[in-house]
């Protein structure tokens, strides 16, 4: 089947669908709609007023295939089924989209449809949508769909996709190279020629996915009477989604509302546009009824974006004193058949080569990043985009160089970390650092973990045949991103955030912010800022987020930006509101506002602390007795402020992590004994939230280091797409995690001085664990360069299993 109705269902007489956007406000004639909806609602003209519908998707079982005949007769026969839809049925109102950014020069991608048309390019790609009265009915009907496929050879590995003569997935693109970027700084060849030591390795990072507690879900409700589209969505980016839906469906943004209440985790999984969600919106518009889609856990594995999935060859040159002379990096990744929309699938590879060597001084750098199309699930941004890969490559090479020169790993870092008094600094790759504290962080770490005693313990145990390892990893983290990140590339993703705050009649504060809550404590942090400025109990601050109709325009949640950007907007808005309140109180008291203050929820005389008004009295006077206000007083008890960083593209945080573990050389099992992190994230607003963000991130990073992998076979079939076989870190396996801080280097970009911390734990945990494993294996001249570091991988490194890429041991010389 191609471009025609599926067998068993008459073509929907939506002739206007080939005229994009002409469907708005019109009725939809659906096959057998009156019969199927009998008893489920009533007609007002041609508009159905009925309860919610549910959609489920028939997904491709093949990684690459041509679609033949689609038989949906059995599925459509059920009285519970409202409509069975193929790609051709919605193509007129939901055109394919292209995930590219203008500032990623040379990037390309094929248009991606909501439902596959002639070919499928990955296992799990949606082909047919079944709309029914219940989720169960929709899922049952999906099982009755029969599709004829002509299987095509899949391209599963990026090397094969880029090989000369490889079949091109999208012929109109010319080849399978989605994006390539090169960096050349300084005299790289001369640096390697003059080096006292050169170390190199090839590092493999497995694909991972987010496995959020709450899967993706959306309810789309289009009301033709007023032309309003409302989405209730588990999304961390409601303002972005509103803009994308306006573009996609030809609606004014003002006619779209996106509600994203507290969501059960995201980690970047829920900042992308997914085909099944686009199809759900299209169906709601066509049917003029609310349509609900919630991904189940099994389909999440083959429909949620994947990430990591890199192979990086890294080299480093050092002089006889251990000073770094140059880095060389060649990064290759396969990102699936399309680039994700709108943030693309090239940012992670771009970040990897930007961040390699980040904490260190080095004069020369050569790097290449290549992004290839392949027949696997689409890859894109996931928590700490690129950081764990870049950090692992860097820190593993640092440890290898230390070993080559006979230096302690901590001393190797001391000699090369950017000095704490050197800022501002521009790195070899062009990253601008306002102020960091690498040396203070390292000193704090060595003290906190009692490094010398731990080394002594390690040596004593090694003499008894117990093999423990200590791993260090210094890191930087990108936070508070500016418009240079996405806005400059043409994506409707804001770098600024806004806060509107008002004093309510009862004397409480209502704060409306453009960032949302996904479990990281954003609402608590914003409430703390407002309560601190106003000196009111935290319980008197109500925070409203996640609704584009009621919150200011802003950038939403991504890249560790909530505290630093939305927090500053909140600070400035609250200060402005406080000034308004004091001006009104001063007019009432015939006193200069400068002589007044707000303490413990009351307006007081600043000098004596004598209470003059309760905040509720001021509010009631403004709202209900404006006639009693003195002439010229503006009765304004609401203030709105926006903030965007301007001086630096990012506010970098920094720190160091350490891992202490034991390797059983008979089984390859790794036991995590202790993990430490020291971080400098600028102004710390809520120490407990910072600590738990770090701990959560470390656990997630350990997952990638030891357990998590999307395992594919040669046919592009994911072999462990379930919670029984896809291993995530569990509490019983995690070590105690000790948190330390150094005196902060707050960003001078804002008055608050806050930076982010949401991704720091993930950024360096894999590197610290890998270095600790290799430290434990050092007596055997073995090392591991692949993640996850499974027992099998470690046994291969020890020469106890046949060797393959990612494990280097005695067999390699």
């Amino acid at each position: 089947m191609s471009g025609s109705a599926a067998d068993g269902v008459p073509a929907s007489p939506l002739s206007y669908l080939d005229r994009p956007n002409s469907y708005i406000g019109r009725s939809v004639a659906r096959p057998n709609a009156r019969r199927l909806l009998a008893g489920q609602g009533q007609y007002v003209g041609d508009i159905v007023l009925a309860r919610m519908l549910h959609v489920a998707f028939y997904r491709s079982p093949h990684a690459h295939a041509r679609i033949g005949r689609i038989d949906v007769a059995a599925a459509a026969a059920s009285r519970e089924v409202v409509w069975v839809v193929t790609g051709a049925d919605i193509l007129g109102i939901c055109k394919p989209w292209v995930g590219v950014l203008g500032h990623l020069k040379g990037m390309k991608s094929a248009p991606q449809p909501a439902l596959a048309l002639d070919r499928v390019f990955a296992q799990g790609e949606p082909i047919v949508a079944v709309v029914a009265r219940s989720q169960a009915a929709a899922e049952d009907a999906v099982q009755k769909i029969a599709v004829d496929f002509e299987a095509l050879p899949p391209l599963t590995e990026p090397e094969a996709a880029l090989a000369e003569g490889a079949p091109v997935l999208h012929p109109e693109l010319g080849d399978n190279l989605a994006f390539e970027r090169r960096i050349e700084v300084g005299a790289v060849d001369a640096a390697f020629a003059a080096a006292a030591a050169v170390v190199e390795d090839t590092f493999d990072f497995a694909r991972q996915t987010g496995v959020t507690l709450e899967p993706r879900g959306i309810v789309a409700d289009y009301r033709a009477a007023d032309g309003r589209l409302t989405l209730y969505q588990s999304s961390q980016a409601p303002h972005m989604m509103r803009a994308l839906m306006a573009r996609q469906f030809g609606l004014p943004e003002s006619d779209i509302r996106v509600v994203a209440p507290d969501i059960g985790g995201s980690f970047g999984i829920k900042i992308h546009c997914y085909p099944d969600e686009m199809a759900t919106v299209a169906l709601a518009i066509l049917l003029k009824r609310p349509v609900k889609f919630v991904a189940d856990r099994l389909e999440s594995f083959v429909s949620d974006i994947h990430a990591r999935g890199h192979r990086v060859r890294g080299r480093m040159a050092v002089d006889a004193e251990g000073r770094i002379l140059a880095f060389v990096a060649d990064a290759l990744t396969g990102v699936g058949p399309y680039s994700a929309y709108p943030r693309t699938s090239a940012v992670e590879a771009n970040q990897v080569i930007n961040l390699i060597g980040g904490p260190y001084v080095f004069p020369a750098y050569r790097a290449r990043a290549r992004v290839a199309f392949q027949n696997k699930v689409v890859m894109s941004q996931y928590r700490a985009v690129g950081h764990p890969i870049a950090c692992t490559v860097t820190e593993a090479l640092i440890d290898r160089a230390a070993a080559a020169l006979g230096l302690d790993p901590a001393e190797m870092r001391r000699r090369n970390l950017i000095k704490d008094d050197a800022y501002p600094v521009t790195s070899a790759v062009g990253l601008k650092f306002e102020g960091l504290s690498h040396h203070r962080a390292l000193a704090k770490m060595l003290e906190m973990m009692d490094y010398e005693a731990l080394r002594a313990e390690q040596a004593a145990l090694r003499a008894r045949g117990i093999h423990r390892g200590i791993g260090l990893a210094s890191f930087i983290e990108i936070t508070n991103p500016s418009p240079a990140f996405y806005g400059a590339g043409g994506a409707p993703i804001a770098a600024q955030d806004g806060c509107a705050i008002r004093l309510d009649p009862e004397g409480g504060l209502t704060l409306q912010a453009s960032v949302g809550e996904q479990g990281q404590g954003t609402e608590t942090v914003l409430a703390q800022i407002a309560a601190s400025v106003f000196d009111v109990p935290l319980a008197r601050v109500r925070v409203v987020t996640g609704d584009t109709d009621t919150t200011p325009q802003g950038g939403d949640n991504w890249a560790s930006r909530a505290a630093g950007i939305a927090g500053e907007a909140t600070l400035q808005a609250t200060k402005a509101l406080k000034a308004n309140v004091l001006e009104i109180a001063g007019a009432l008291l015939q006193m200069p506002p400068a002589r007044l203050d707000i303490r413990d929820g009351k307006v007081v005389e600043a000098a004596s602390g004598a209470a003059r008004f309760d905040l509720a009295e001021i509010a009631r006077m403004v709202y209900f007795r404006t006639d009693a206000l003195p002439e010229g007083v503006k009765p304004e008890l609401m203030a709105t402020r926006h903030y965007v960083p301007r001086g630096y593209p990012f506010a970098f945080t920094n720190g160091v992590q350490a891992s202490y573990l034991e390797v059983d050389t008979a089984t390859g099992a790794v036991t995590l004994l202790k993990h430490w992190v020291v971080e400098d994230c600028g102004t710390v607003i809520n120490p407990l939230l910072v600590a738990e963000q770090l701990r959560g991130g470390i656990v997630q990073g350990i997952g990638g280091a030891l357990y998590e992998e999307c395992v594919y076979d040669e046919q592009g079939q994911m072999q462990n797409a379930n919670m029984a076989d896809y291993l995530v870190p569990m509490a019983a396996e995690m070590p105690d995690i000790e948190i330390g801080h150094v005196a902060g280097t707050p960003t001078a970009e804002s008055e608050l001085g806050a930076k982010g911390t949401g991704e720091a734990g993930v950024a360096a945990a894999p590197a610290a664990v890998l270095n600790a494993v290799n430290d434990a294996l050092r007596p055997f001249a073995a090392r591991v360069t692949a993640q996850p570091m499974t027992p099998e991988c470690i046994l291969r490194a020890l020469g106890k299993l046949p060797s393959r890429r990612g494990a280097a041991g005695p067999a390699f010389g």
Side-chain angles (χ1 to χ4, degrees), residues 3 184 217 279 442 488 493 591 607 644 654 691:
E184 183 83 25
L442 179 61
I493 302 169
M591 293 177 63
V644 63
N654 73 274

Side-chain angles (χ1 to χ4, degrees), residues 383 475 477-480 520 559-564 653-654 677 679-681 684 686 689-695 697 741 754-762:
R383 190 178 188 182
F475 67 90
E477 178 199 2
I478 289 175
T479 78
N480 298 5
Q520 78 278 49
S560 300
R561 60 188 304 283
T653 68
N654 73 274
V677 59
E679 195 195 20
D680 175 359
C681 58
V684 176
N686 186 310
L689 285 177
V690 169
E692 297 316 308
Q693 278 283 290
L694 289 168
R695 286 193 175 94
H741 296 281
K755 306 176 185 179
T757 193
E759 295 164 298
V762 188

Side-chain angles (χ1 to χ4, degrees), residues 22 42 45 52 58 182 217 295 370 374 425 428 465 494 578 615 697 794:
S22 61
Q42 60 181 350
M52 187 169 332
Y58 177 94
R182 295 173 183 263
R370 290 177 295 161
Q374 62 178 165
V425 168
K578 180 179 179 179
L615 286 177
I794 291 172

Side-chain angles (χ1 to χ4, degrees), residues 11-100:
S12 179
L14 305 177
S15 59
Y16 56 86
L17 286 183
D18 57 4
R19 302 195 299 275
N21 306 329
S22 61
Y23 57 87
I24 298 298
R26 301 181 65 162
S27 62
V28 177
R30 297 175 307 284
N32 304 318
R34 290 179 184 270
R35 174 178 67 81
L36 293 172
L37 292 173
Q40 294 302 307
Q42 60 181 350
Y43 284 89
V44 180
D46 284 330
I47 299 175
V48 181
L49 302 177
R51 62 185 176 86
M52 187 169 332
L53 300 174
H54 301 259
V55 62
F57 294 92
Y58 177 94
R59 298 180 183 274
S60 172
H62 296 278
H64 194 199
R66 186 168 286 110
I67 300 172
R69 177 175 173 270
I70 300 178
D71 185 352
V72 300
S78 170
R79 288 183 59 85
E80 293 292 310
V81 173
V82 175
W83 199 9
V84 182
V85 180
T86 64
D89 295 321
I90 62 172
L91 187 60
I93 77 162
C94 188
K95 296 295 185 184
W97 54 89
V98 178
V100 297

Side-chain angles (χ1 to χ4, degrees), residues 67 86 123 154 168 173 208 235-236 283 286 330 449 686 767 781:
I67 300 172
T86 64
Q123 177 195 20
V168 179
L173 298 181
Q208 298 173 235
S235 170
Q236 64 191 85
L283 291 167
L286 289 171
D330 191 2
M449 64 191 294
N686 186 310

Side-chain angles (χ1 to χ4, degrees), residues 537-670:
L538 199 62
R540 293 181 67 177
V541 182
R542 174 174 172 259
V543 180
V544 178
T545 62
D547 187 339
T548 59
D549 263 12
T550 62
T551 60
Q553 179 69 37
D556 307 312
N557 284 7
W558 52 277
S560 300
R561 60 188 304 283
I565 298 179
E568 180 67 15
T570 299
L571 176 67
Q572 298 305 328
T574 309
K575 288 176 65 178
L577 177 60
K578 180 179 179 179
N580 290 351
V581 170
L582 294 179
E583 183 178 351
I584 293 168
L588 291 169
L589 295 169
Q590 297 184 349
M591 293 177 63
R595 291 175 53 191
L596 299 172
D597 198 3
I598 298 175
R599 298 175 191 167
D600 196 24
K602 295 179 174 59
V603 175
V604 303
E605 293 183 23
S608 67
R612 303 304 300 266
F613 288 112
D614 188 275
L615 286 177
E617 294 179 78
I618 297 284
R620 286 194 293 268
M621 181 77 72
V622 169
Y623 289 126
F624 310 128
R625 291 297 312 275
T626 51
D627 59 305
L629 294 178
E631 189 72 25
V633 172
K634 294 180 180 179
E636 187 174 5
L637 292 182
M638 186 169 190
T640 301
R641 293 292 185 271
H642 285 75
Y643 170 71
V644 63
R646 293 184 179 276
Y648 285 83
F650 311 104
F652 282 93
T653 68
N654 73 274
V656 60
Q657 292 191 34
S659 174
Y660 187 46
L661 52 77
E662 184 173 316
V663 176
D664 185 332
T665 56
T667 65
V670 174

